[in-house]
Amino acid sequence: MAQEEVQNGGPEKVAEVRFTALKPQLMVEASKAADAVQFYKTAFGAVEAGRTVYPKRKAEQEQPHVLSAQLELAGSTILVSDIADNSTPVKTEGTGCVLCLETEDVEAAIAKAVSAGGVAEGEVTEGDGACCGGRVGKVKDPYGYVWLICSPAKKCGDAEA
Amino acid sequence: MAQEEVQNGGPEKVAEVRFTALKPQLMVEASKAADAVQFYKTAFGAVEAGRTVYPKRKAEQEQPHVLSAQLELAGSTILVSDIADNSTPVKTEGTGCVLCLETEDVEAAIAKAVSAGGVAEGEVTEGDGACCGGRVGKVKDPYGYVWLICSPAKKCGDAEA
């Protein structure tokens, strides 16, 4: 890539930054991360690629806290972590991050997630959902996260809902 | 793929479900989605692949609400949406979904995000972060979402932090 010349005294250049991966990290109340990982495996067929744990810090602690479990799901990676004892909770102030999972079989996916312990919310609806039209259903997992189960996105940009 | 035989009267089979994509969807207070999209472009170099909008519903509404804007970022897709007037806010009850962006140049990435309007939180730390070790910094965007800017993940599973 061509390097631009930086002029002395010119406005500060903002560096070109390349990002190599984007991974949603789901923070869960300690020490539920291990259970959450199991849920995502059972409900969505996620495959665990690795897990980093803290050493146990307290004698009464039943299982080590999960610093980060890495799950492969639908060609993406998600991280699941216990909120550390000593860390500030990373409370999202936005109106909420939802995880949109695309599949050809919305009903079967919801049924499977529900049989694993998720709770279906509302009906499967057509179109006026989130993922550029198509059919959309909603499942809340036992750890508070909302998953949209959607049929594959149509081309965005033209449609007016 | 081999089809398993379903036995009459046997336990209900849970269908094999294939997911083709996972897309974090960031819900923002209406009608800030368009601004949020611009922020993610400026701060992180996201590229907009499409946008679906609602028709304007009120005369005083300055811009149409965004049903879903699709952004390509670091090989993944994120969706940015205005919370619709008539929809229940999808408030996450979990302890919060964080977005982990990997880059070789953590400091430059944070500087760029801050110059776009993000707020750096804390110092860049080594190791005891979230993304399987490496260097980690944190930026909160103007829409309430927390982004971890991390150096690329080491192999999970062996390390004990």
Side-chain angles (χ1 to χ4, degrees):
Chain A
M1 204 177 296
Q3 198 76 15
E4 289 182 65
E5 261 186 69
V6 178
Q7 303 289 330
N8 284 336
E12 201 188 329
K13 282 275 180 189
V14 177
E16 183 70 28
V17 175
R18 287 178 58 86
F19 294 104
T20 49
L22 170 64
K23 300 174 182 174
Q25 183 183 24
L26 309 187
M27 310 298 291
V28 303
E29 190 191 321
S31 53
K32 293 183 178 172
D35 293 343
V37 166
Q38 187 53 53
F39 174 82
Y40 298 131
K41 289 180 185 176
T42 309
F44 302 131
V47 174
E48 185 168 351
R51 183 183 298 200
T52 312
V53 297
Y54 290 107
K56 284 191 192 183
R57 285 186 183 148
K58 294 171 187 165
E60 73 273 21
Q61 194 180 321
E62 283 180 23
Q63 50 184 348
H65 287 178
V66 174
L67 174 63
S68 177
Q70 193 168 346
L71 296 180
E72 306 299 333
L73 175 55
S76 291
T77 301
I78 63 171
L79 305 171
V80 180
S81 301
D82 280 314
I83 296 278
D85 292 348
N86 56 353
S87 77
T88 347
V90 200
K91 200 84 183 173
T92 298
E93 290 168 17
T95 36
C97 175
V98 172
L99 295 147
C100 180
L101 266 179
E102 289 182 4
T103 179
E104 294 287 351
D105 198 344
V106 172
E107 277 77 6
I110 292 173
K112 191 174 173 186
V114 167
S115 76
V119 176
E121 299 202 323
E123 300 292 313
V124 173
T125 56
E126 195 78 34
D128 195 34
C131 311
C132 299
R135 316 185 61 239
V136 184
K138 201 183 286 183
V139 173
K140 183 177 279 186
D141 74 31
Y143 309 94
Y145 290 100
V146 172
W147 298 75
L148 291 181
I149 312 293
C150 320
S151 57
K154 297 170 196 160
K155 174 109 183 65
C156 284
D158 313 315
E160 294 260 324
Chain B
M1 203 178 297
Q3 198 76 15
E4 289 181 64
E5 260 186 70
V6 178
Q7 304 289 331
N8 283 337
E12 202 187 328
K13 283 273 178 190
V14 177
E16 183 70 27
V17 176
R18 288 178 58 85
F19 294 104
T20 49
L22 171 64
K23 301 175 181 173
Q25 182 183 25
L26 309 186
M27 309 300 291
V28 303
E29 191 189 321
S31 54
K32 293 184 177 171
D35 294 342
V37 165
Q38 186 54 52
F39 173 82
Y40 298 131
K41 289 180 185 176
T42 309
F44 303 130
V47 174
E48 185 168 350
R51 183 183 298 200
T52 312
V53 297
Y54 291 105
K56 284 192 194 183
R57 285 188 183 146
K58 294 171 186 165
E60 73 273 20
Q61 192 180 321
E62 282 180 23
Q63 49 185 346
H65 287 179
V66 174
L67 174 63
S68 175
Q70 192 168 347
L71 297 180
E72 306 298 333
L73 175 54
S76 289
T77 301
I78 62 170
L79 305 170
V80 180
S81 302
D82 282 313
I83 295 277
D85 293 348
N86 56 352
S87 78
T88 345
V90 200
K91 200 82 182 172
T92 297
E93 289 167 18
T95 37
C97 175
V98 172
L99 295 148
C100 180
L101 267 178
E102 289 184 2
T103 180
E104 293 288 349
D105 198 344
V106 172
E107 277 76 6
I110 292 174
K112 190 174 174 187
V114 167
S115 77
V119 176
E121 300 204 322
E123 301 292 314
V124 173
T125 56
E126 195 78 34
D128 195 32
C131 310
C132 300
R135 317 186 59 241
V136 185
K138 203 184 284 183
V139 173
K140 183 178 277 185
D141 75 30
Y143 309 94
Y145 290 100
V146 173
W147 298 74
L148 292 182
I149 312 293
C150 320
S151 56
K154 297 171 196 159
K155 174 105 184 69
C156 285
D158 314 315
E160 294 260 322

